[in-house]
Coordinates of all heavy atoms in Angstrom, one line a residue:
M1 N -9.6 7.1 -0.5 CA -9.2 6.1 0.5 C -9.0 4.8 -0.1 O -9.7 4.3 -1.0 CB -10.4 6.0 1.5 CG -10.1 5.0 2.6 SD -11.4 5.2 3.9 CE -12.0 3.6 4.0
V2 N -7.9 4.1 0.2 CA -7.6 2.8 -0.3 C -8.0 1.7 0.7 O -7.5 1.8 1.8 CB -6.0 2.7 -0.6 CG1 -5.7 1.3 -1.1 CG2 -5.6 3.7 -1.6
V3 N -8.8 0.8 0.3 CA -9.2 -0.3 1.1 C -8.4 -1.5 0.6 O -8.5 -1.9 -0.6 CB -10.7 -0.6 1.0 CG1 -11.1 -1.8 1.9 CG2 -11.5 0.7 1.4
Y4 N -7.4 -2.0 1.4 CA -6.5 -2.9 0.8 C -7.0 -4.2 0.2 O -6.4 -4.7 -0.7 CB -5.3 -3.2 1.8 CG -5.7 -3.9 3.1 CD1 -5.7 -5.3 3.1 CD2 -6.1 -3.3 4.2 CE1 -6.0 -6.0 4.2 CE2 -6.4 -4.0 5.4 CZ -6.4 -5.4 5.4 OH -6.7 -6.0 6.5
P5 N -8.1 -4.8 0.6 CA -8.6 -6.0 -0.1 C -8.9 -5.7 -1.6 O -8.8 -6.6 -2.4 CB -9.9 -6.4 0.7 CG -9.7 -5.8 2.0 CD -9.0 -4.5 1.8
E6 N -9.3 -4.5 -1.9 CA -9.6 -4.2 -3.3 C -8.4 -4.1 -4.2 O -8.5 -4.1 -5.4 CB -10.4 -2.9 -3.4 CG -11.8 -3.0 -2.7 CD -12.5 -1.7 -2.8 OE1 -12.0 -0.7 -3.4 OE2 -13.6 -1.6 -2.2
I7 N -7.2 -4.0 -3.6 CA -6.0 -3.9 -4.4 C -5.6 -5.2 -5.0 O -5.1 -5.3 -6.1 CB -4.8 -3.4 -3.5 CG1 -5.1 -2.0 -3.1 CG2 -3.5 -3.5 -4.3 CD1 -4.1 -1.5 -2.1
F8 N -6.0 -6.3 -4.4 CA -5.6 -7.7 -4.8 C -6.6 -8.3 -5.7 O -7.8 -8.2 -5.5 CB -5.4 -8.6 -3.6 CG -4.4 -8.0 -2.6 CD1 -4.9 -7.5 -1.4 CD2 -3.1 -7.9 -2.9 CE1 -4.0 -7.0 -0.4 CE2 -2.2 -7.4 -1.9 CZ -2.7 -6.9 -0.7
P9 N -6.2 -9.0 -6.7 CA -7.2 -9.8 -7.6 C -7.9 -10.9 -6.7 O -7.3 -11.3 -5.7 CB -6.3 -10.5 -8.6 CG -5.0 -9.7 -8.7 CD -4.9 -9.1 -7.3
T10 N -9.0 -11.3 -7.1 CA -9.9 -12.2 -6.3 C -9.2 -13.4 -5.9 O -9.3 -13.8 -4.7 CB -11.2 -12.5 -7.0 OG1 -11.8 -11.3 -7.4 CG2 -12.1 -13.4 -6.2
N11 N -8.5 -14.1 -6.8 CA -7.9 -15.4 -6.5 C -6.7 -15.4 -5.5 O -6.3 -16.4 -5.0 CB -7.6 -16.2 -7.7 CG -6.7 -15.5 -8.7 OD1 -6.4 -14.3 -8.5 ND2 -6.2 -16.1 -9.7
I12 N -6.1 -14.2 -5.3 CA -5.0 -14.1 -4.3 C -5.4 -13.1 -3.2 O -4.5 -12.7 -2.4 CB -3.7 -13.7 -5.0 CG1 -3.8 -12.4 -5.6 CG2 -3.2 -14.8 -5.9 CD1 -2.4 -11.8 -6.0
R13 N -6.6 -12.8 -3.1 CA -7.0 -11.8 -2.1 C -6.7 -12.2 -0.6 O -6.3 -11.5 0.2 CB -8.5 -11.5 -2.2 CG -9.0 -10.3 -1.4 CD -10.3 -9.8 -1.8 NE -10.1 -9.1 -3.1 CZ -11.1 -9.0 -4.0 NH1 -12.3 -9.5 -3.8 NH2 -10.9 -8.4 -5.2
N14 N -7.0 -13.5 -0.3 CA -6.7 -14.0 1.0 C -5.3 -13.9 1.4 O -4.9 -13.6 2.5 CB -7.2 -15.4 1.2 CG -8.7 -15.5 1.2 OD1 -9.4 -14.5 1.6 ND2 -9.3 -16.6 0.8
V15 N -4.4 -14.2 0.4 CA -2.9 -14.1 0.7 C -2.6 -12.6 1.0 O -1.8 -12.3 1.9 CB -2.1 -14.6 -0.5 CG1 -0.7 -14.4 -0.3 CG2 -2.4 -16.1 -0.7
G16 N -3.1 -11.7 0.2 CA -2.8 -10.3 0.4 C -3.3 -9.8 1.7 O -2.6 -9.0 2.4
I17 N -4.6 -10.2 2.1 CA -5.1 -9.8 3.4 C -4.3 -10.4 4.5 O -4.0 -9.7 5.5 CB -6.6 -10.2 3.5 CG1 -7.4 -9.3 2.5 CG2 -7.1 -10.0 4.9 CD1 -8.9 -9.8 2.4
G18 N -3.8 -11.6 4.3 CA -3.0 -12.3 5.4 C -1.7 -11.5 5.5 O -1.2 -11.3 6.7
L19 N -1.0 -11.1 4.4 CA 0.2 -10.4 4.5 C 0.0 -9.0 5.2 O 0.9 -8.6 6.0 CB 0.8 -10.2 3.1 CG 1.4 -11.5 2.5 CD1 1.9 -11.3 1.1 CD2 2.6 -12.0 3.4
A20 N -1.0 -8.3 4.8 CA -1.3 -7.0 5.4 C -1.6 -7.2 6.9 O -1.1 -6.4 7.8 CB -2.5 -6.4 4.7
S21 N -2.3 -8.2 7.3 CA -2.6 -8.5 8.7 C -1.4 -8.8 9.5 O -1.1 -8.4 10.6 CB -3.7 -9.6 8.8 OG -3.9 -9.9 10.2
M22 N -0.5 -9.7 8.9 CA 0.7 -10.0 9.5 C 1.6 -8.8 9.7 O 2.2 -8.7 10.8 CB 1.5 -11.1 8.7 CG 2.8 -11.5 9.3 SD 3.7 -12.6 8.2 CE 4.2 -11.5 6.9
S23 N 1.7 -7.9 8.8 CA 2.5 -6.7 8.9 C 2.0 -5.9 10.1 O 2.8 -5.3 10.8 CB 2.5 -5.9 7.6 OG 3.0 -6.7 6.6
A24 N 0.7 -5.7 10.2 CA 0.1 -5.0 11.3 C 0.4 -5.6 12.6 O 0.7 -4.9 13.6 CB -1.4 -4.8 11.1
R25 N 0.3 -6.9 12.7 CA 0.6 -7.6 14.0 C 2.1 -7.5 14.3 O 2.4 -7.3 15.5 CB 0.2 -9.0 13.9 CG -1.3 -9.2 13.8 CD -1.7 -10.6 13.6 NE -3.1 -10.7 13.4 CZ -4.0 -11.1 14.4 NH1 -3.5 -11.4 15.6 NH2 -5.3 -11.2 14.1
I26 N 3.0 -7.5 13.4 CA 4.4 -7.3 13.7 C 4.7 -5.9 14.2 O 5.4 -5.7 15.2 CB 5.3 -7.6 12.4 CG1 5.3 -9.1 12.2 CG2 6.7 -7.2 12.6 CD1 5.9 -9.5 10.9
G27 N 4.0 -4.9 13.6 CA 4.2 -3.6 14.1 C 3.6 -3.5 15.5 O 4.2 -2.8 16.4
G28 N 2.5 -4.1 15.8 CA 1.9 -4.1 17.1 C 2.8 -4.8 18.1 O 2.8 -4.5 19.3
L29 N 3.5 -5.8 17.7 CA 4.4 -6.6 18.5 C 5.6 -5.7 19.0 O 6.0 -5.8 20.1 CB 5.0 -7.8 17.8 CG 5.9 -8.7 18.5 CD1 5.2 -9.5 19.6 CD2 6.6 -9.6 17.5
F30 N 6.2 -4.9 18.1 CA 7.3 -4.1 18.4 C 7.0 -2.8 19.0 O 7.8 -2.1 19.7 CB 8.2 -3.8 17.1 CG 8.9 -5.0 16.7 CD1 8.6 -5.7 15.5 CD2 9.9 -5.6 17.5 CE1 9.3 -6.8 15.1 CE2 10.6 -6.7 17.1 CZ 10.3 -7.3 15.9
A31 N 5.8 -2.3 18.9 CA 5.4 -1.0 19.5 C 5.7 -0.8 21.0 O 6.1 0.2 21.4 CB 3.9 -0.7 19.2
P32 N 5.4 -1.8 21.8 CA 5.6 -1.6 23.3 C 7.1 -1.5 23.6 O 7.5 -0.9 24.6 CB 5.1 -2.9 23.9 CG 4.1 -3.5 23.0 CD 4.6 -3.1 21.6
F33 N 8.0 -1.9 22.7 CA 9.4 -1.8 23.0 C 10.0 -0.4 22.8 O 11.1 -0.1 23.1 CB 10.2 -2.9 22.2 CG 9.9 -4.3 22.6 CD1 9.1 -5.1 21.8 CD2 10.3 -4.8 23.8 CE1 8.8 -6.4 22.2 CE2 10.0 -6.1 24.2 CZ 9.3 -6.9 23.4
T34 N 9.2 0.4 22.1 CA 9.7 1.8 21.8 C 10.0 2.6 23.1 O 10.9 3.4 23.1 CB 8.7 2.5 20.9 OG1 7.5 2.6 21.6 CG2 8.6 1.9 19.6
R35 N 9.2 2.3 24.1 CA 9.4 3.0 25.4 C 10.8 2.6 26.0 O 11.5 3.5 26.5 CB 8.3 2.7 26.4 CG 8.3 3.5 27.6 CD 7.1 3.4 28.4 NE 7.0 4.5 29.3 CZ 5.9 4.7 30.0 NH1 4.9 4.0 29.9 NH2 5.9 5.8 30.8
T36 N 11.1 1.4 26.0 CA 12.4 0.9 26.5 C 13.5 1.5 25.7 O 14.5 1.9 26.2 CB 12.4 -0.6 26.5 OG1 11.3 -1.1 27.2 CG2 13.7 -1.1 27.1
V37 N 13.4 1.5 24.4 CA 14.5 2.0 23.5 C 14.6 3.5 23.8 O 15.7 4.0 23.8 CB 14.1 1.7 22.0 CG1 15.1 2.4 21.1 CG2 14.2 0.2 21.7
Y38 N 13.5 4.2 24.0 CA 13.5 5.6 24.2 C 14.4 6.0 25.5 O 15.0 7.0 25.5 CB 12.1 6.2 24.4 CG 12.0 7.6 24.6 CD1 12.2 8.5 23.5 CD2 11.8 8.2 25.9 CE1 12.1 9.9 23.7 CE2 11.8 9.5 26.1 CZ 11.9 10.4 25.0 OH 11.9 11.7 25.2
R39 N 14.4 5.1 26.5 CA 15.1 5.4 27.7 C 16.6 5.5 27.4 O 17.4 6.3 28.0 CB 14.9 4.3 28.7 CG 13.5 4.4 29.3 CD 13.4 3.4 30.4 NE 12.0 3.2 30.8 CZ 11.4 2.1 31.2 NH1 12.1 1.0 31.3 NH2 10.2 2.1 31.5
Y40 N 17.1 4.7 26.5 CA 18.5 4.6 26.2 C 18.9 5.5 25.0 O 20.0 6.1 25.0 CB 18.9 3.1 25.9 CG 18.7 2.3 27.1 CD1 17.6 1.4 27.1 CD2 19.5 2.3 28.2 CE1 17.3 0.6 28.2 CE2 19.2 1.6 29.3 CZ 18.2 0.7 29.3 OH 17.9 -0.1 30.4
L41 N 18.1 5.5 24.0 CA 18.4 6.3 22.7 C 17.1 7.0 22.4 O 16.3 6.5 21.6 CB 18.8 5.4 21.6 CG 20.1 4.6 21.8 CD1 20.2 3.5 20.7 CD2 21.3 5.5 21.8
P42 N 16.9 8.2 22.9 CA 15.6 8.9 22.7 C 15.3 9.3 21.3 O 14.1 9.4 20.9 CB 15.8 10.2 23.5 CG 17.0 10.1 24.3 CD 17.8 9.0 23.8
W43 N 16.2 9.3 20.4 CA 16.0 9.7 19.0 C 15.5 8.5 18.1 O 15.0 8.7 17.0 CB 17.2 10.3 18.4 CG 18.4 9.5 18.5 CD1 19.3 9.4 19.5 CD2 18.9 8.5 17.5 NE1 20.3 8.5 19.2 CE2 20.0 7.9 18.0 CE3 18.4 8.1 16.3 CZ2 20.7 6.9 17.3 CZ3 19.0 7.1 15.6 CH2 20.2 6.5 16.1
V44 N 15.7 7.3 18.6 CA 15.5 6.1 17.7 C 14.0 5.9 17.4 O 13.6 5.7 16.3 CB 16.1 4.8 18.4 CG1 15.7 3.6 17.6 CG2 17.6 4.9 18.3
P45 N 13.1 5.9 18.4 CA 11.7 5.6 18.1 C 11.1 6.5 17.0 O 10.4 6.1 16.1 CB 10.9 5.7 19.4 CG 12.0 5.4 20.4 CD 13.2 6.0 19.9
G46 N 11.3 7.8 17.2 CA 10.8 8.8 16.3 C 11.4 8.6 14.9 O 10.7 8.8 13.9
S47 N 12.7 8.3 14.9 CA 13.4 8.1 13.6 C 12.8 6.9 12.9 O 12.6 6.9 11.6 CB 14.9 8.0 13.8 OG 15.4 9.1 14.4
V48 N 12.6 5.8 13.6 CA 12.1 4.6 13.0 C 10.7 4.8 12.4 O 10.5 4.5 11.3 CB 12.2 3.4 14.0 CG1 11.4 2.2 13.5 CG2 13.6 3.0 14.3
F49 N 9.8 5.3 13.2 CA 8.5 5.6 12.8 C 8.4 6.6 11.7 O 7.6 6.5 10.7 CB 7.5 5.9 13.9 CG 7.3 4.8 14.9 CD1 7.6 4.9 16.2 CD2 6.6 3.7 14.4 CE1 7.4 3.8 17.0 CE2 6.4 2.6 15.3 CZ 6.7 2.7 16.6
G50 N 9.2 7.6 11.8 CA 9.3 8.6 10.7 C 9.8 8.0 9.4 O 9.2 8.3 8.3
T51 N 10.8 7.2 9.5 CA 11.3 6.5 8.3 C 10.3 5.6 7.6 O 10.1 5.6 6.4 CB 12.6 5.7 8.6 OG1 13.6 6.6 9.2 CG2 13.1 5.0 7.4
F52 N 9.6 4.9 8.4 CA 8.5 4.0 7.9 C 7.4 4.9 7.2 O 6.9 4.5 6.2 CB 7.9 3.1 9.0 CG 8.7 1.9 9.3 CD1 9.0 1.6 10.6 CD2 9.2 1.1 8.3 CE1 9.7 0.4 10.9 CE2 9.9 0.0 8.5 CZ 10.2 -0.4 9.8
C53 N 7.1 6.0 7.8 CA 6.1 6.9 7.2 C 6.5 7.4 5.8 O 5.8 7.4 4.8 CB 5.8 8.1 8.1 SG 4.8 7.6 9.5
V54 N 7.8 7.7 5.7 CA 8.3 8.2 4.4 C 8.4 7.1 3.4 O 8.0 7.2 2.2 CB 9.7 8.8 4.6 CG1 10.4 9.1 3.3 CG2 9.6 10.1 5.4
V55 N 8.8 5.9 3.8 CA 8.9 4.7 2.9 C 7.5 4.4 2.4 O 7.3 4.1 1.2 CB 9.6 3.5 3.6 CG1 9.4 2.3 2.8 CG2 11.0 3.8 3.9
V56 N 6.5 4.3 3.3 CA 5.2 4.0 2.8 C 4.6 5.0 1.9 O 4.0 4.7 0.9 CB 4.2 3.8 4.1 CG1 2.8 3.8 3.7 CG2 4.6 2.6 4.8
T57 N 4.9 6.3 2.2 CA 4.4 7.4 1.3 C 5.0 7.2 -0.1 O 4.3 7.4 -1.1 CB 4.8 8.7 1.8 OG1 4.3 8.9 3.1 CG2 4.4 9.8 0.9
L58 N 6.3 6.8 -0.2 CA 6.9 6.6 -1.5 C 6.3 5.3 -2.2 O 6.1 5.3 -3.4 CB 8.4 6.4 -1.4 CG 9.1 7.7 -0.9 CD1 10.6 7.4 -0.6 CD2 9.0 8.8 -1.9
L59 N 6.1 4.3 -1.4 CA 5.5 3.0 -2.0 C 4.1 3.2 -2.5 O 3.7 2.5 -3.5 CB 5.6 1.9 -1.0 CG 7.0 1.4 -0.7 CD1 6.9 0.3 0.4 CD2 7.7 0.8 -1.9
V60 N 3.3 4.0 -1.9 CA 1.9 4.2 -2.3 C 1.9 4.8 -3.7 O 1.0 4.5 -4.5 CB 1.2 5.1 -1.3 CG1 -0.1 5.7 -1.9 CG2 0.9 4.4 -0.1
R61 N 2.9 5.5 -4.1 CA 3.0 6.1 -5.5 C 3.0 5.0 -6.6 O 2.6 5.3 -7.7 CB 4.2 7.0 -5.7 CG 4.2 8.2 -4.7 CD 3.2 9.2 -5.0 NE 3.4 9.7 -6.4 CZ 2.5 10.2 -7.1 NH1 1.2 10.2 -6.8 NH2 2.7 10.7 -8.3
F62 N 3.4 3.8 -6.2 CA 3.5 2.7 -7.2 C 2.2 1.9 -7.3 O 2.1 1.0 -8.1 CB 4.6 1.7 -6.8 CG 6.0 2.4 -7.0 CD1 6.7 2.8 -5.8 CD2 6.5 2.6 -8.2 CE1 7.9 3.4 -6.0 CE2 7.7 3.2 -8.4 CZ 8.4 3.6 -7.2
L63 N 1.2 2.2 -6.5 CA -0.1 1.5 -6.6 C -0.8 2.0 -7.8 O -0.8 3.2 -8.2 CB -1.0 1.8 -5.3 CG -0.5 1.2 -4.0 CD1 -1.4 1.6 -2.9 CD2 -0.5 -0.3 -4.1
P64 N -1.6 1.1 -8.5 CA -2.3 1.6 -9.7 C -3.5 2.4 -9.4 O -4.1 2.2 -8.3 CB -2.7 0.2 -10.3 CG -2.7 -0.7 -9.2 CD -1.7 -0.3 -8.2
E65 N -3.9 3.3 -10.3 CA -5.1 4.1 -10.1 C -6.3 3.2 -10.3 O -6.4 2.5 -11.3 CB -5.1 5.2 -11.1 CG -6.3 6.1 -11.1 CD -6.5 6.8 -9.8 OE1 -5.6 7.4 -9.3 OE2 -7.6 6.6 -9.2
T66 N -7.3 3.2 -9.4 CA -8.5 2.4 -9.5 C -9.7 3.2 -9.6 O -10.8 2.6 -9.6 CB -8.5 1.5 -8.3 OG1 -8.6 2.3 -7.1 CG2 -7.4 0.5 -8.2
N67 N -9.7 4.5 -9.7 CA -10.9 5.4 -9.7 C -11.6 5.1 -11.0 O -11.1 5.2 -12.1 CB -10.4 6.8 -9.6 CG -11.6 7.7 -9.5 OD1 -12.7 7.3 -9.0 ND2 -11.5 9.0 -9.8
N68 N -12.9 4.8 -10.9 CA -13.8 4.6 -12.1 C -13.3 3.5 -13.0 O -13.6 3.5 -14.2 CB -14.0 5.9 -12.9 CG -14.7 6.9 -12.1 OD1 -15.5 6.7 -11.2 ND2 -14.3 8.2 -12.3
Q69 N -12.7 2.5 -12.4 CA -12.2 1.3 -13.3 C -12.7 0.0 -12.6 O -12.7 -0.1 -11.4 CB -10.7 1.3 -13.4 CG -10.2 2.5 -14.1 CD -8.7 2.5 -14.3 OE1 -8.1 1.4 -14.2 NE2 -8.0 3.6 -14.5
E70 N -13.0 -0.9 -13.5 CA -13.4 -2.2 -13.0 C -12.1 -2.9 -12.5 O -11.1 -2.9 -13.2 CB -14.0 -3.1 -14.1 CG -14.5 -4.4 -13.6 CD -15.3 -5.1 -14.7 OE1 -15.8 -4.5 -15.6 OE2 -15.2 -6.4 -14.7
L71 N -12.1 -3.5 -11.3 CA -11.0 -4.1 -10.7 C -10.8 -5.5 -11.3 O -11.7 -6.2 -11.6 CB -11.1 -4.2 -9.2 CG -11.2 -2.9 -8.5 CD1 -11.4 -3.1 -7.0 CD2 -9.9 -2.1 -8.7
P72 N -9.5 -5.9 -11.5 CA -9.2 -7.2 -12.1 C -9.6 -8.4 -11.1 O -9.6 -8.2 -9.9 CB -7.7 -7.2 -12.3 CG -7.2 -6.2 -11.4 CD -8.3 -5.2 -11.2
Q73 N -10.0 -9.5 -11.7 CA -10.5 -10.6 -10.9 C -9.4 -11.8 -10.9 O -9.5 -12.6 -10.0 CB -11.8 -11.2 -11.4 CG -12.9 -10.2 -11.4 CD -13.2 -9.7 -10.0 OE1 -13.3 -10.5 -9.1 NE2 -13.3 -8.4 -9.8
T74 N -8.5 -11.8 -11.8 CA -7.5 -12.8 -11.9 C -6.1 -12.2 -12.0 O -6.0 -11.0 -12.3 CB -7.7 -13.8 -13.1 OG1 -7.5 -13.0 -14.3 CG2 -9.1 -14.4 -13.0
I75 N -5.1 -13.0 -11.8 CA -3.7 -12.5 -11.9 C -3.4 -12.1 -13.4 O -2.8 -11.0 -13.6 CB -2.7 -13.5 -11.5 CG1 -2.9 -13.8 -10.0 CG2 -1.3 -13.1 -11.7 CD1 -2.0 -14.9 -9.4
E76 N -3.9 -12.8 -14.3 CA -3.7 -12.5 -15.8 C -4.4 -11.2 -16.1 O -3.8 -10.3 -16.8 CB -4.3 -13.6 -16.7 CG -4.0 -13.4 -18.1 CD -2.5 -13.3 -18.4 OE1 -1.7 -14.0 -17.8 OE2 -2.1 -12.5 -19.3
E77 N -5.6 -10.9 -15.6 CA -6.3 -9.6 -15.8 C -5.5 -8.5 -15.2 O -5.4 -7.4 -15.7 CB -7.7 -9.6 -15.2 CG -8.7 -10.4 -16.0 CD -10.1 -10.4 -15.4 OE1 -10.3 -9.6 -14.4 OE2 -10.9 -11.2 -15.8
M78 N -4.9 -8.8 -14.0 CA -4.1 -7.8 -13.3 C -2.8 -7.4 -14.1 O -2.5 -6.2 -14.3 CB -3.6 -8.3 -11.9 CG -2.9 -7.3 -11.1 SD -4.0 -6.0 -10.6 CE -3.0 -5.2 -9.4
K79 N -2.2 -8.4 -14.7 CA -1.0 -8.1 -15.6 C -1.4 -7.3 -16.8 O -0.7 -6.3 -17.1 CB -0.4 -9.4 -16.0 CG 0.3 -10.2 -14.9 CD 0.9 -11.5 -15.5 CE 1.6 -12.3 -14.3 NZ 2.0 -13.6 -14.8
Q80 N -2.5 -7.6 -17.4 CA -3.0 -6.9 -18.6 C -3.4 -5.4 -18.2 O -3.1 -4.5 -18.9 CB -4.2 -7.5 -19.2 CG -3.9 -8.8 -19.9 CD -5.1 -9.6 -20.4 OE1 -6.3 -9.1 -20.1 NE2 -5.0 -10.7 -21.0
W81 N -4.0 -5.3 -17.0 CA -4.4 -4.0 -16.5 C -3.2 -3.1 -16.2 O -3.2 -1.9 -16.6 CB -5.3 -4.2 -15.3 CG -6.0 -3.0 -14.7 CD1 -6.8 -2.2 -15.4 CD2 -6.0 -2.6 -13.4 NE1 -7.3 -1.2 -14.6 CE2 -6.8 -1.5 -13.3 CE3 -5.3 -3.0 -12.2 CZ2 -7.0 -0.8 -12.1 CZ3 -5.6 -2.3 -11.1 CH2 -6.4 -1.2 -11.0
L82 N -2.2 -3.7 -15.6 CA -1.0 -2.9 -15.3 C -0.3 -2.5 -16.6 O 0.3 -1.4 -16.7 CB -0.1 -3.7 -14.4 CG -0.5 -3.8 -12.9 CD1 0.4 -4.8 -12.2 CD2 -0.6 -2.5 -12.3
R83 N -0.2 -3.5 -17.6 CA 0.4 -3.2 -18.9 C -0.3 -2.0 -19.6 O 0.4 -1.1 -20.1 CB 0.4 -4.4 -19.7 CG 1.5 -4.6 -20.7 CD 1.5 -5.9 -21.4 NE 1.6 -7.0 -20.5 CZ 0.7 -8.1 -20.6 NH1 -0.3 -8.1 -21.4 NH2 0.8 -9.0 -19.7
K84 N -1.6 -2.0 -19.5 CA -2.4 -1.0 -20.1 C -2.1 0.4 -19.4 O -2.0 1.4 -20.1 CB -3.9 -1.3 -20.0 CG -4.8 -0.3 -20.7 CD -6.2 -0.9 -20.7 CE -7.1 0.2 -20.2 NZ -8.5 -0.2 -20.0
Q85 N -2.0 0.4 -18.1 CA -1.8 1.6 -17.4 C -0.4 2.1 -17.7 O -0.1 3.3 -17.7 CB -2.0 1.4 -15.9 CG -3.4 1.4 -15.5 CD -3.6 1.6 -14.0 OE1 -2.7 1.5 -13.2 NE2 -4.8 1.9 -13.7
R86 N 0.6 1.3 -17.9 CA 2.0 1.7 -18.2 C 2.0 2.3 -19.6 O 2.8 3.2 -19.9 CB 2.9 0.5 -18.1 CG 3.3 0.2 -16.7 CD 4.4 -0.9 -16.7 NE 4.4 -1.5 -15.4 CZ 4.3 -2.8 -15.2 NH1 4.2 -3.6 -16.2 NH2 4.2 -3.3 -14.0
E87 N 1.2 1.8 -20.5 CA 1.2 2.3 -21.9 C 0.6 3.7 -22.0 O 0.9 4.4 -22.9 CB 0.4 1.4 -22.8 CG 1.1 0.0 -23.0 CD 0.2 -1.0 -23.7 OE1 -1.0 -0.6 -24.0 OE2 0.7 -2.1 -24.0
T88 N -0.2 4.1 -21.1 CA -0.8 5.4 -21.1 C -0.5 6.2 -19.8 O -1.3 6.4 -18.9 CB -2.4 5.3 -21.2 OG1 -2.9 4.5 -20.1 CG2 -2.8 4.7 -22.5
P89 N 0.8 6.6 -19.6 CA 1.2 7.3 -18.4 C 0.6 8.6 -18.3 O 0.4 9.3 -19.3 CB 2.7 7.4 -18.5 CG 3.0 7.3 -20.0 CD 1.9 6.4 -20.6
G90 N 0.2 9.0 -17.1 CA -0.3 10.3 -16.8 C -1.8 10.4 -17.1 O -2.5 11.4 -16.8
K91 N -2.4 9.4 -17.8 CA -3.8 9.4 -18.1 C -4.6 8.7 -16.9 O -4.2 7.6 -16.6 CB -4.1 8.7 -19.4 CG -5.6 8.8 -19.8 CD -5.8 8.1 -21.1 CE -7.3 8.1 -21.4 NZ -7.6 7.3 -22.6
N92 N -5.5 9.4 -16.4 CA -6.4 8.7 -15.4 C -7.8 9.1 -15.6 O -8.1 9.9 -16.5 CB -5.9 9.1 -14.0 CG -6.0 10.6 -13.7 OD1 -6.7 11.3 -14.4 ND2 -5.2 11.1 -12.8
N93 N -8.7 8.4 -14.9 CA -10.1 8.7 -15.1 C -10.7 9.6 -14.1 O -11.9 9.6 -13.9 CB -10.8 7.3 -15.1 CG -10.5 6.4 -16.2 OD1 -10.1 6.9 -17.3 ND2 -10.5 5.1 -16.1
I94 N -9.9 10.4 -13.5 CA -10.5 11.4 -12.5 C -11.0 12.6 -13.3 O -10.3 13.2 -14.1 CB -9.4 11.8 -11.6 CG1 -8.8 10.6 -10.8 CG2 -9.9 12.9 -10.6 CD1 -7.6 10.9 -10.0
P95 N -12.3 12.9 -13.1 CA -12.9 14.0 -13.8 C -12.3 15.3 -13.3 O -12.0 15.5 -12.1 CB -14.4 13.9 -13.4 CG -14.5 13.0 -12.3 CD -13.3 12.2 -12.3
E96 N -12.0 16.2 -14.2 CA -11.4 17.5 -13.9 C -12.5 18.5 -13.4 O -13.6 18.4 -13.9 CB -10.7 18.1 -15.1 CG -9.5 17.2 -15.4 CD -8.7 17.8 -16.6 OE1 -8.9 19.0 -16.9 OE2 -7.9 17.1 -17.2
N97 N -12.1 19.4 -12.6 CA -13.1 20.4 -12.0 C -13.2 21.5 -13.0 O -12.2 22.1 -13.4 CB -12.5 20.9 -10.7 CG -13.6 21.7 -10.0 OD1 -14.7 21.9 -10.5 ND2 -13.2 22.1 -8.8
D98 N -14.4 21.8 -13.5 CA -14.6 22.9 -14.5 C -14.9 24.2 -13.9 O -15.8 24.9 -14.4 CB -15.7 22.4 -15.5 CG -15.3 21.3 -16.3 OD1 -14.0 21.1 -16.5 OD2 -16.1 20.6 -16.8
T99 N -14.3 24.6 -12.8 CA -14.7 25.9 -12.2 C -13.7 27.0 -12.6 O -12.7 26.8 -13.1 CB -14.6 25.8 -10.7 OG1 -13.4 25.3 -10.2 CG2 -15.8 24.9 -10.2

């Protein structure tokens, strides 16, 4: 489970939480209009929400692995951490199941 405040370094965490909250509010703002759009174009609401689900699924793949790792506290630490993860692709700290 990804808890979005943990994704951001400490010194920009409030900005990240604000952007995530704003995105949620914009989605909540447009949600009631889906019923009106459905009356005229029944395929649009499902297509829009389905497209957003696919886009988010693809974007999540770009998030860094945080399992068993100390999270960065500054932007500079975040840059170093991302550089280190790029240098060792495919390596993660998830213990393998020995069954």
